[in-house]
Amino acid sequence: MRITGVELIPIRLPLVEPFIISYGTFPDVESVLVRLETDDGTTGWGEGTPDPHVTGETFGGVLETLRLLAPTLLGRDPLDRTALISDLDRRISGNPTAKAAIDIALHDLVGRATGLPVWALLGGRSRTHLTISRVVSMKTPSEMAADAVAHVGAGFNTVKLKIGDANDVALDIRRVAAVREAVGPDIAIKIDVNQGWRTPGIAIQGARGVAPYLPAYVEQPVDWRDLEGLAEVRRMAGVPIMADEAIHDAHDALRAVSLRACDLINIKLMKSGGLLGSLTLNAIAETAGYTCQVGTMVESSIASAAGLHLALALANVHTVEMGGPLMLAEDIGGLSDYYAGEMVRVPAGPGLGIEPNERAIERFAGQRIWIH
Ligand code: MG
């Protein structure tokens, strides 16, 4: 089997409501789909969803990087996927989101060709199903409490609060307090600061302030570059600390482990360059005794399915946040059918187990690029 064509499809998908976090408001999701074609007619789908605040990659940049990387795939056997991924790294450094799109497409392709679901390619199942949390955008305390109550009413036992205002940490603490009061003691609350508290001094104040409301963890309180600062917060805060923006790949994880910079690591395919990079990252975390989460940039069905397969395969993954399909007003892959309240079934068919809908893609696609 040889790869004979690579199609790049930029899409823009509307969200149910704007997604608001410490560093921005996002009305829709911009993503680049990759469709690989082979000489025996098998296809594989991937997706790269950039977050310029996290990896520095933009929508247009991911498309251009993929255009430059695609010729490396032509004529190659997708079963050589580890060699192929290494070749991409030799050709262009960094750019993990663009590479994740190719990595996911290669896994989908190999899964379809062999009849195996992606989780089987990653080592097999560690559990039978997954549960996810719902995210609450950064708003006023009462609005966030109302959103959290709505999610609990829809069957979620965990909510994730987006906060992070270095100029008003007291307001952040009131946000968490209002949600805890509204949802009661039995609902798990996760907190994501998205670097918003900036420095360790403010972050320690914030983390101690929210500690009485018993968060499961406080995620990425300080600037992503400051691993030493994150370690300081971890020692002083009295709540578990998760690293997100600070840890993209296995190299970052190794440094974080050596500094004991956090308790938990948020793995995202778009940071680690895809599934293979995530396996390496998780191996370091697991060996060091850190548990992981599989998170998302708010991705469509394709990358979200890949994240679900990864989470299903890794016993060291304790929390999952692949809620993208629930946040999209329109999707292109039908993955939302696999969600029921907080329970998610992972598609059981070959590859990612979903079939992207060409008619839906056509509605949201920009100019397609076909390389063959
Ligand atoms: Mg995060």
Side-chain angles (χ1 to χ4, degrees), residues 160 162 192 194 219 244-245 266 268:
K160 177 171 189 172
K162 292 290 192 179
D192 192 357
N194 285 111
E219 182 176 340
D244 180 2
E245 289 92 326
N266 194 357
K268 291 178 180 168

Side-chain angles (χ1 to χ4, degrees), residues 7 24 34-35 51 61 102 109 119 132 177 192 199 233 255 257 262 270 302 313:
E7 190 174 24
V34 170
R35 190 176 62 84
D51 186 334
I102 293 175
L109 185 56
W119 56 255
I132 61 161
D192 192 357
T199 60
V233 177
R255 204 169 144 246
V257 161
C262 56
M270 301 304 146
I302 297 172

Side-chain angles (χ1 to χ4, degrees), residues 20 101 109 154 160 162 196 234 288 307-308 336 349:
I20 311 164
L109 185 56
K160 177 171 189 172
K162 292 290 192 179
R234 175 177 177 263
L308 292 178
S336 56

Side-chain angles (χ1 to χ4, degrees), residues 177-221:
V179 171
R180 174 54 81 201
E181 200 193 339
V183 300
D186 298 330
I187 299 299
I189 294 178
K190 307 195 285 192
I191 292 174
D192 192 357
V193 186
N194 285 111
Q195 312 174 64
W197 290 337
R198 312 304 308 170
T199 60
I202 297 171
I204 291 166
Q205 186 194 337
R208 285 180 172 170
V210 300
Y213 307 105
L214 302 177
Y217 59 72
V218 171
E219 182 176 340
Q220 197 60 50

Side-chain angles (χ1 to χ4, degrees), residues 32 50 56-68 92 95 98:
V32 180
E57 296 168 275
T58 61
F59 188 33
V62 166
L63 188 61
E64 177 62 11
T65 304
L66 284 167
R67 200 180 60 76
L68 294 170
I92 298 180
N95 289 278

Side-chain angles (χ1 to χ4, degrees), residues 61-135:
V62 166
L63 188 61
E64 177 62 11
T65 304
L66 284 167
R67 200 180 60 76
L68 294 170
L69 290 175
T72 309
L73 304 173
L74 295 176
R76 305 284 294 274
D77 185 340
L79 285 172
D80 299 335
R81 66 187 190 281
T82 46
L84 274 167
I85 297 292
S86 300
D87 287 348
L88 300 180
D89 286 334
R90 266 193 293 278
R91 182 137 167 63
I92 298 180
S93 143
N95 289 278
T97 298
K99 288 172 186 170
I102 293 175
D103 166 284
I104 294 168
L106 285 170
H107 281 84
D108 187 37
L109 185 56
V110 171
R112 288 173 190 238
T114 58
L116 292 171
V118 166
W119 56 255
L121 303 177
L122 301 177
R125 259 187 308 232
S126 69
R127 48 179 74 82
T128 56
H129 66 275
L130 303 171
T131 58
I132 61 161
S133 55
R134 276 307 294 269
V135 68

